[in-house]
Amino acid sequence: MKVLIAGGAGFIGSTIASCLLDNGHQPVILDNLVTGRREFCEGRPFYEGDIADTAMLDRIFDEHPDITAVVHCAALIVVPESVERPVHYYRENVAKTLEFVDHLIGKGVTRLLFSSSASIYQPGDDFTVDENSALTALSPYARTKLIVEQMLSDITAATPIKVLSLRYFNPIGSDPKMRTGLQLRSPSHALGKLIEVYREGKPFPVTGVDYPTRDGSGIRDYVHVWDLAGAHLRALEVFDTLPFENGSLAINLGTGTGTTVLEFVEAFNQVADRAVEVAHAPRRPGDSAGAYTRSSRAADLLGWRAEHTVADGIRDSLDWFAQRERILPDLSDR
């Protein structure tokens, strides 16, 4: 199949593209390169542009009329930045998605995978969630994801397009073939920050140690990005068999195992060749205690389960950072 991936030059989108290629499918990449990398699009049909650029979308569909599905990964994702710049986040993540989807409908697209987030959940007392858990977004970033899901639900009820919202937990790792990985100079992901301070010989700031978790630090469900990519592959392959309700469906993508931030640092220190010290720091604006999934919906509907461990994700990320300067030479000062 041929699949348009919006945001396909970013960390997750480019890994999905690699997974599709490895399984005989053809990704077509649309990315404005605000955070994505041109290097990640080598050997793949690539269009540099914005998801709300209707002329660009017309060109893509004119040149690839056999696109059968769309994966929408294009979004800004940094929680503290969303608190500081909410107008920017609502414009980029919500308003432009509306324009994008409206144009997709006009092009006859009926299959859309939306990259959503587990940050929209209100966890239970045990920090677990499933797809029927209460929703309450605690940051402008998370609210953009929730608003887009609600908006898409209204749209699917009135149009032919069907939308599968894949609610990600915390991605770690890299493409096992080292084609792509974390691409930001100063990553906002916990593992990216850990590797950054590891390379600089600095302590790792654990932002928030007063949460009601077993050790006071936030709790997360760390899932390998290659497993996430595999879930997208499965979702595209079985899309037409899924039990949509009024054209919408949500599926959690996580390991089902909760790991606290302090436990994550401990796991990192067991894999790395030298330990990183921890420094306690206050919570950042928009931070939450976190959550992990207890759901089996991905296994039941997609036949998918995460196969990689936290240690696998840390090891692959360290391998990626050891050689990413070869792929992204402008980051060689790191």
Side-chain angles (χ1 to χ4, degrees):
M1 72 184 81
K2 184 174 284 188
V3 180
L4 174 63
I5 305 179
F11 173 44
I12 295 176
S14 64
T15 310
I16 294 169
S18 294
C19 184
L20 290 178
L21 282 168
D22 288 354
N23 286 274
H25 304 296
Q26 177 62 67
V28 177
I29 310 303
L30 171 63
D31 200 295
N32 60 14
L33 300 184
V34 169
T35 58
R37 298 294 305 227
R38 189 182 302 274
E39 295 90 337
F40 291 171
C41 302
E42 186 175 344
R44 305 165 185 186
F46 170 59
Y47 297 82
E48 182 178 354
D50 195 274
I51 60 172
D53 183 343
T54 57
M56 177 63 74
L57 290 172
D58 285 341
R59 179 186 166 197
I60 291 171
F61 280 91
D62 285 345
E63 296 179 5
H64 301 277
D66 50 344
I67 287 173
T68 58
V70 176
V71 178
H72 179 16
C73 298
L76 301 174
I77 64 170
V78 181
V79 169
E81 183 185 53
S82 78
V83 176
E84 297 168 1
R85 305 182 66 194
V87 172
H88 184 52
Y89 267 66
Y90 283 108
R91 178 181 297 115
E92 296 297 313
N93 291 2
V94 179
K96 289 186 176 181
T97 292
L98 178 59
E99 296 303 315
F100 181 50
V101 173
D102 184 34
H103 212 67
L104 294 180
I105 293 169
K107 293 297 179 182
V109 172
T110 59
R111 303 177 185 93
L112 174 65
L113 302 190
F114 172 59
S115 297
S116 191
S117 170
S119 64
I120 68 176
Y121 283 118
Q122 178 180 322
D125 292 339
D126 62 355
F127 301 103
T128 66
V129 296
D130 62 25
E131 290 85 354
N132 296 315
S133 295
L135 303 178
T136 176
L138 298 180
S139 69
Y141 158 70
R143 277 188 284 277
T144 66
K145 291 295 187 180
L146 180 55
I147 289 169
V148 168
E149 278 204 31
Q150 293 169 334
M151 178 178 75
L152 293 176
S153 179
D154 288 338
I155 291 170
T156 62
T159 68
I161 197 168
K162 293 181 178 179
V163 177
L164 172 58
S165 294
L166 296 174
R167 294 172 178 168
Y168 303 171
F169 285 75
N170 296 72
I172 58 174
S174 64
D175 172 0
K177 295 182 181 179
M178 297 294 127
R179 288 166 289 190
T180 59
L182 283 172
Q183 82 285 15
L184 301 180
R185 184 177 297 278
S186 297
S188 61
H189 310 78
L191 182 51
K193 288 289 186 185
L194 251 177
I195 294 175
E196 188 175 50
V197 299
Y198 159 81
R199 289 160 67 95
E200 295 173 349
K202 296 179 179 179
F204 176 69
V206 178
T207 52
V209 291
D210 57 348
Y211 293 110
T213 60
R214 51 182 169 264
D215 60 18
S217 64
I219 195 163
R220 306 286 186 265
D221 190 339
Y222 295 100
V223 58
H224 199 293
V225 69
W226 194 247
D227 283 328
L228 283 181
H232 287 74
L233 171 67
R234 286 293 299 149
L236 289 166
E237 290 176 339
V238 304
F239 192 95
D240 291 340
T241 71
L242 296 175
F244 292 96
E245 183 175 346
N246 290 324
S248 294
L249 179 66
I251 296 178
N252 288 347
L253 298 181
T255 64
T257 302
T259 303
T260 70
V261 177
L262 290 174
E263 291 168 347
F264 190 68
V265 176
E266 182 180 354
F268 181 93
N269 288 339
Q270 291 175 355
V271 172
D273 61 359
R274 66 179 184 278
V276 171
E277 295 183 0
V278 166
H280 293 181
R283 303 182 191 184
R284 303 169 302 174
D287 277 349
S288 65
Y292 60 99
T293 185
R294 60 174 179 264
S295 171
S296 64
R297 186 177 289 184
D300 296 340
L301 298 183
L302 305 181
W304 174 89
R305 294 184 189 275
E307 298 178 355
H308 295 80
T309 66
V310 167
D312 292 335
I314 294 170
R315 191 176 295 108
D316 285 345
S317 291
L318 285 168
D319 288 346
W320 163 254
F321 270 78
Q323 57 185 293
R324 76 170 186 165
E325 294 164 4
R326 172 179 56 83
I327 301 170
L328 307 176
D330 60 306
L331 302 183
S332 59
D333 61 332
R334 288 285 172 173

